[in-house]
Amino acid sequence: MATVTSKLEAVNTMLTSIGESPVNTITSSTTTDVSIAVQILDNVSREIQSIGWHFNTDTNYKLSKNTSNEVVLPANCLRVDNSNEDADLDLVERNRKLWDRENHTYTITQDVRVNITWLLE
């Protein structure tokens, strides 16, 4: 079984590939090369995870409406689609909330089940 690569290890691999020395931390003051490497790693991770893999996707996941009858998406939600249970609803993401395309509103009168793709570390 393969071992998991930490973010620090990935950044150090990137730095080594451009002839730079590895670093001990990526959380404190860093060089420009370290900052760029972290940014590239985060961008590529988001792009790859947006595809939706078995490890970062939940099916039939319940999202609850808030007191304003809106369904606000979690901060680490990359993508959301109606699940089979609520396939009769025409919901899409807008402004980090679910938008009812049929009724042209953010007002959602029920909790909904979705297939959701998460951004994981």
Side-chain angles (χ1 to χ4, degrees):
M1 178 176 235
T3 59
V4 176
T5 301
S6 72
K7 192 170 187 176
L8 176 62
E9 290 170 325
V11 166
N12 278 330
T13 298
M14 295 167 73
L15 291 173
T16 303
S17 72
I18 62 168
E20 292 293 323
S21 299
V23 294
N24 293 326
T25 182
I26 55 175
T27 56
S28 61
S29 298
T30 60
T31 66
T32 301
D33 288 334
V34 172
S35 296
I36 291 170
V38 169
Q39 183 177 11
I40 289 170
L41 182 61
D42 288 343
N43 289 344
V44 170
S45 178
R46 176 179 287 278
E47 181 180 337
I48 296 300
Q49 289 188 56
S50 291
I51 293 169
W53 301 89
H54 187 72
F55 71 88
N56 73 328
T57 302
D58 286 324
T59 57
N60 206 32
Y61 185 85
K62 182 180 177 182
L63 291 175
S64 299
K65 61 186 174 80
N66 63 17
T67 57
S68 300
N69 286 329
E70 296 178 339
V71 177
V72 178
L73 296 173
N76 64 334
C77 170
L78 289 173
R79 190 174 68 206
V80 64
D81 293 310
N82 289 30
S83 71
N84 289 338
E85 187 173 311
D86 285 325
D88 58 320
L89 300 173
D90 190 5
L91 304 174
V92 294
E93 176 188 348
R94 283 195 190 164
N95 298 320
R96 302 303 301 162
K97 298 184 273 191
L98 289 182
W99 171 260
D100 181 340
R101 292 190 327 163
E102 183 177 336
N103 297 304
H104 311 284
T105 183
Y106 288 109
T107 302
I108 310 291
T109 58
Q110 65 190 55
D111 295 341
V112 295
R113 296 280 178 172
V114 297
N115 299 327
I116 191 166
T117 302
W118 302 102
L119 176 63
L120 304 175
E121 275 293 316

